[in-house]
Amino acid sequence: MSAAVLRIALDTPLRRLFDYLPPARMPAIGQRVRVPFGRRRLIGLVMEHADSSDMPPDRLKHVLEVLDDQPLLDRSALELLRWAADYYHHPIGEVIAAAIPKALRDGAPLVAVQERWVATAKGAEAFARGEPRRAPKQRALLSRLIDHGGAVAADLSVALPGWQDAARSLAKRGWIASCEEPEPLPQSLDSASTTDLASITRRNSPPLAPEQEAAVQSVSEALGRFAAFVLYGITGSGKTEVYLQVVERVLARGQRALVLVPEIGLTPQLVERFQARFTTPLAVLHSALTDQERLQAWRAAFSGAARIVLGTRSAVFAPVPDLGVIVVDEEHDASFKQHEGGFRYSARDLAVVRAQQSGVPIVLGSATPALETLQNVENGRYIRLSLPRRAAQAEPPRVALVDLRTNATQGGLSTPAVQAMERHLAADGQVLVFLNRRGYAPTLLCTACGWVAPCRDCDARLTVHRSASRLRCHHCGADAPLPERCPQCGFAVKPVGQGTERIEEVLAQLFPQVPLVRLDRDVVRKQADMEHAMRRMHSGEARILVGTQMVTKGHHFPNVTLVIVLNADQGLFSTDFRAPERLAQTIVQVAGRAGRGDKPGEVLIQTEFPEHPLLLNLLNEGYDGFARAALAERANTAWPPFSRLAALRDSARTADDALIFLRDARALMPPPRGILMRGPVPAAMAKRAGRYHAQLLLESSDRAALHRFLSAWLPQVEQLKSARRVRWALDVDPLDAF
Ligand code: ADP
Ligand code: ZN
Ligand code: ZN
């Protein structure tokens, strides 16, 4: 291995690699190195060995240091990151930075090391002579190191507290010495080498229903090659059981599994079920970990000690040696898309690319697959596996609409909804009330002059939080005291509309004897709060659950027999082409919480538009029927997946600056035929946190042509003078177009 020049990826916004001269010990591709960069020193990754550089030789600098003995990222990991940099048109250095833990970017060792102390030969001689005299601590330490053939610092701290001073004195005389050695794996990870099924699985898996069996069989037959499966099964149909049994077979082959989930905090049950089933160690990677915890989990994945790697979005980049299968649970979930910051990627889509590059099957599971995913089934790229029935004998729930125009409401609850609650509570059932809005009320209004409490920094109203007695902006976090009188005219103000906090109050008045739990981000601040709420529902101590989106994810409430969707209308008339899809998914997911045990469930959806085709479609034909109609409409209007989108988005301190940059960008190059540029236009909520947002949308039915254009265009966009007045980013395959 020899090379005149190393091409190195550095965490900078520049779209290129940087040339350096190699050090005496030639680093391999994928290894970390420290290099001089301007006045700083940066840690980078060796991407290529080259024979020459375009830089004048006298300007090339040397690599200062090689950090690892082995590559941090292997060939397949680098291949995925290169693909991502290319597809999302993002600088490779920043893509790599997004893929590895911060501690490693800052130079932490790849393999955990520990400090080991040993006695030297000279020290042993001295000890035999009876030295050191009059220093009992030093003598005790030396004695221990001789007797035990050395000791690890952490153990010494337990056995001989305060040993460090003694060690310093002994080391000074050359009687003891220390070195660093790799830390052994924790005991819990040590059983990892076996592939014996009996020792991998803790509990026997239940016998599968025929459809589950067929699904496990199909995926198993594809082990060792790429195939994409859509595990399309209603809530409670046993998808998780299918994942578990597929993973079991992968482990039995001596391979490892990568499992991606939308949000760990909301799906602790999935982690628990993997832990309950397998004795083999699990590495869990998610955003709530500290840097040190993330480093440890990553190392467990890297070393192969963890045979199952389970994590959220960025875990798609986790190292998994001998990968055998990828599972993406709730594949339709929007949180798989990174939609902030510079590098905006879809972990679901990258997972498919990774499976393809690694030659392994991928399972995309959902009760409500994304329309793109269903279209991929339609065109034969993905294979559909259906689980049409519920596993634990429960019948699918009965769903009905409640017309809000003709039914009286009390604090947002219609009479039929209240009556249904009475019925189900009397029959010992539990009730779930869903409202996708936290706080007490979305608006504070002065009925005298019409003033509504606005956010100073956003195009939005402030939400009333009554118990905290605050007005808060849900977009920028602005927080102010709740006024009692209108600041404009001095008249009394009143909260208008409902949030979960208010619904809780209304329900407490309607059902004073029935204990209730609320689940939203205001009451659930940590994992323990969530678990506490879950326990109260599971024990039956609480009978009513009120909550936001949080209640729709992954929880089993076997005794919930009635689900009420308070307001389905927010998504019906949105300008966002994906709003109907999201609404249908939410309704189906929340409805799926009803009747999971042996009691049949009932779902009531309150709406002012009971004749809306979307709702009727969903009611009459389920998500499948909805998806068919929605895809037909997307085809008619040429929205994705029947076209490809990329959005150039920016924000600036003035609305003008935001638009000027995008106008300049648009004027740079006329797009070729077949590529449409729309805009620039201000974003749907233009002002957010004091900055003005706008976007320029690019659309084409020809993906390759769109990407060719982006490759030619973006380097020029970067150079625009007006770019200096904005923050901008390119969003390829954006989830929302406005
Ligand atoms: P999903 O992931 O589709 O929501 P789960 O895998 O969580 O469904 O299954 C729902 C419930 O049915 C769980 O309590 C699970 O333990 C149970 N279950 C799943 N498959 C079986 C089976 N083959 N036999 C018995 N119970 C099952
Ligand atoms: Zn007023
Ligand atoms: Zn705000």
Side-chain angles (χ1 to χ4, degrees):
M1 188 169 57
S2 84
V5 171
L6 298 175
R7 301 239 151 91
I8 293 173
L10 295 173
D11 185 4
T12 76
L14 299 172
R15 288 167 198 277
R16 41 174 286 216
L17 299 175
F18 297 86
D19 291 357
Y20 284 89
L21 298 170
R25 183 165 65 100
M26 178 66 80
I29 297 201
Q31 271 182 265
R32 284 180 304 169
V33 292
R34 206 184 299 276
V35 298
F37 188 79
R39 263 183 245 147
R40 293 179 297 161
R41 293 170 161 210
L42 295 184
I43 291 175
L45 211 69
V46 179
M47 298 296 285
E48 292 169 18
H49 290 160
D51 294 331
S52 64
S53 170
D54 293 338
M55 286 264 284
D58 57 326
R59 291 199 48 206
L60 281 177
K61 293 186 185 145
H62 271 280
V63 164
L64 299 170
E65 185 194 355
V66 180
L67 275 76
D68 310 306
D69 296 327
Q70 55 179 325
L72 184 83
L73 297 176
D74 63 15
R75 193 129 46 92
S76 73
L78 286 173
E79 196 186 349
L80 180 69
L81 294 170
R82 274 210 197 87
W83 191 95
D86 220 41
Y87 184 81
Y88 293 106
H89 298 270
H90 201 73
I92 182 75
E94 288 189 355
V95 170
I96 290 173
I100 57 184
K102 180 170 186 304
L104 290 172
R105 297 202 302 274
D106 292 346
L110 185 48
V111 179
V113 291
Q114 59 188 9
E115 184 183 303
R116 168 176 287 279
W117 287 87
V118 291
T120 61
K122 213 169 123 196
E125 282 165 27
F127 187 78
R129 286 198 303 272
E131 293 201 60
R133 294 175 222 280
R134 285 185 303 279
K137 269 210 164 154
Q138 291 182 31
R139 191 155 170 90
L141 175 60
L142 187 55
S143 155
R144 187 176 180 89
L145 294 183
I146 291 169
D147 288 351
H148 291 75
V152 173
D155 295 341
L156 287 175
S157 296
V158 178
L160 300 169
W163 59 277
Q164 286 92 342
D165 283 342
R168 223 165 292 134
S169 310
L170 290 170
K172 228 182 259 166
R173 304 171 81 164
W175 290 353
I176 66 172
S178 73
C179 62
E180 286 193 335
E181 63 176 18
E183 200 175 277
L185 291 171
Q187 200 81 69
S188 64
L189 294 180
D190 226 11
S191 61
S193 52
T194 176
T195 58
D196 174 15
L197 255 194
S199 57
I200 290 172
T201 49
R202 194 185 303 280
R203 251 212 269 116
N204 282 346
S205 29
L208 293 174
E211 293 92 353
Q212 285 176 311
E213 183 70 54
V216 171
Q217 203 54 39
S218 300
V219 182
S220 301
E221 279 161 18
L223 293 180
R225 64 181 165 87
F226 170 70
F229 297 95
V230 179
L231 185 62
Y232 186 176
I234 56 170
T235 316
S237 60
K239 294 185 293 295
T240 309
E241 189 56 47
V242 171
Y243 307 151
L244 288 165
Q245 300 214 14
V246 165
V247 167
E248 187 177 316
R249 296 196 187 195
V250 166
L251 298 181
R253 285 163 59 100
Q255 292 184 308
R256 297 186 178 77
L258 173 62
V259 181
L260 299 180
V261 295
E263 284 158 84
I264 294 269
L266 300 182
T267 50
Q269 289 186 332
L270 193 74
V271 180
E272 277 164 28
R273 281 177 71 182
F274 273 85
Q275 273 165 347
R277 180 66 56 85
F278 301 110
T279 56
T280 182
L282 212 68
V284 181
L285 284 156
H286 57 88
S287 59
L289 298 177
T290 64
D291 288 344
Q292 201 55 32
E293 287 167 336
R294 190 188 320 279
L295 176 64
Q296 278 164 2
W298 198 91
R299 280 172 173 161
F302 179 83
S303 69
R307 307 207 129 240
I308 302 169
V309 178
L310 207 150
T312 48
R313 193 168 55 216
S314 68
V316 72
F317 301 114
V320 186
D322 250 320
L323 180 65
V325 73
I326 303 179
V327 172
V328 182
D329 187 35
E330 308 288 358
E331 65 88 33
H332 65 279
D333 198 289
S335 65
F336 284 121
K337 178 74 200 277
Q338 171 62 273
H339 64 275
E340 283 165 352
F343 176 38
R344 302 182 178 196
Y345 62 93
S346 156
R348 193 250 338 257
D349 295 349
L350 281 178
V352 175
V353 173
R354 180 168 180 177
Q356 208 160 13
Q357 291 179 341
S358 313
V360 302
I362 182 168
V363 181
L364 305 168
S366 178
T368 53
L371 293 181
E372 276 95 341
T373 301
L374 290 176
Q375 184 57 25
N376 276 324
V377 170
E378 199 59 34
N379 62 31
R381 271 200 281 267
Y382 296 177
I383 301 155
R384 174 172 171 156
L385 306 170
S386 300
L387 302 180
R389 292 183 298 141
R390 291 195 167 184
Q393 286 172 340
E395 291 293 309
R398 244 177 324 116
V399 186
L401 299 178
V402 177
D403 188 344
L404 283 177
R405 296 166 310 180
T406 55
N407 283 289
T409 62
Q410 188 176 351
L413 276 160
S414 64
T415 311
V418 174
Q419 286 166 347
M421 284 186 75
E422 283 164 354
R423 226 172 35 244
H424 282 261
L425 290 170
D428 261 351
Q430 289 178 318
V431 179
L432 192 164
V433 180
F434 170 75
L435 175 62
N436 203 9
R437 194 191 281 137
R438 66 194 169 87
Y440 187 81
T443 304
L444 186 67
L445 173 77
C446 168
T447 45
C449 75
W451 174 86
V452 293
C455 176
R456 234 182 11 183
D457 294 327
C458 304
D459 291 334
R461 291 171 179 175
L462 294 173
T463 301
V464 178
H465 287 257
R466 178 110 162 221
S467 66
S469 200
R470 310 293 293 179
L471 277 174
R472 289 186 185 137
C473 175
H474 288 186
H475 305 279
C476 73
D479 187 20
L482 185 62
E484 272 168 35
R485 318 219 137 255
C486 171
Q488 207 159 272
C489 73
F491 201 77
V493 285
K494 73 167 199 185
V496 179
Q498 283 88 30
T500 43
E501 188 188 350
R502 188 176 213 167
I503 294 299
E504 178 182 12
E505 185 185 280
V506 171
L507 288 170
Q509 282 159 9
L510 286 171
F511 303 97
Q513 314 299 341
V514 186
L516 171 153
V517 271
R518 192 174 110 211
L519 215 55
D520 59 37
R521 264 203 290 136
D522 295 319
V523 283
V524 177
R525 297 187 178 271
K526 45 188 194 308
Q527 189 67 33
D529 297 336
M530 181 83 161
E531 281 157 16
H532 178 68
M534 291 300 128
R535 258 198 310 278
R536 288 192 60 206
M537 276 302 279
H538 282 294
S539 67
E541 179 204 333
R543 310 276 308 284
I544 304 175
L545 175 66
V546 184
T548 55
Q549 214 74 349
M550 243 181 211
V551 303
T552 66
K553 313 228 172 175
H555 289 283
H556 296 259
F557 301 109
N559 210 28
V560 166
T561 53
L562 172 66
V563 169
I564 297 172
V565 177
L566 278 188
N567 188 343
D569 297 343
Q570 285 164 35
L572 287 179
F573 299 100
S574 168
T575 51
D576 182 356
F577 75 97
R578 255 182 252 265
E581 177 182 355
R582 265 198 293 270
L583 175 63
Q585 287 165 343
T586 303
I587 291 179
V588 173
Q589 296 276 351
V590 71
R593 307 293 127 194
R596 289 173 64 104
D598 44 6
K599 298 182 187 169
E602 185 177 353
V603 179
L604 292 179
I605 301 172
Q606 300 192 151
T607 175
E608 300 211 21
F609 307 95
E611 283 105 36
H612 195 285
L614 163 64
L615 291 176
L616 289 179
N617 218 309
L618 201 56
L619 224 61
N620 297 332
E621 297 177 61
Y623 187 75
D624 235 6
F626 158 78
R628 252 194 318 274
L631 273 170
E633 187 168 328
R634 295 261 187 103
N636 276 334
T637 48
W639 281 118
F642 302 96
S643 66
R644 296 286 173 159
L645 301 180
L648 183 64
R649 298 207 155 119
D650 74 345
S651 72
R653 256 186 257 166
T654 68
D656 275 348
D657 281 345
L659 289 172
I660 288 168
F661 164 68
L662 296 178
R663 259 183 231 133
D664 289 352
R666 179 171 181 153
L668 276 173
M669 271 168 87
R673 267 166 62 107
I675 296 177
L676 283 178
M677 277 194 180
R678 296 177 193 268
V681 290
M685 187 190 294
K687 190 178 169 200
R688 258 175 287 152
R691 293 182 68 85
Y692 292 83
H693 296 250
Q695 93 170 9
L696 176 63
L697 193 67
L698 285 80
E699 188 190 325
S700 176
S701 56
D702 181 348
R703 170 156 106 186
L706 179 61
H707 282 265
R708 266 196 310 279
F709 177 73
L710 290 172
S711 299
W713 182 58
L714 281 174
Q716 297 187 39
V717 171
E718 251 168 10
Q719 301 300 320
L720 283 172
K721 228 166 135 190
S722 47
R724 288 183 216 154
R725 304 180 70 86
V726 305
R727 291 182 204 142
W728 67 271
L730 182 75
D731 197 339
V732 175
D733 304 332
L735 275 196
D736 48 355
F738 291 98

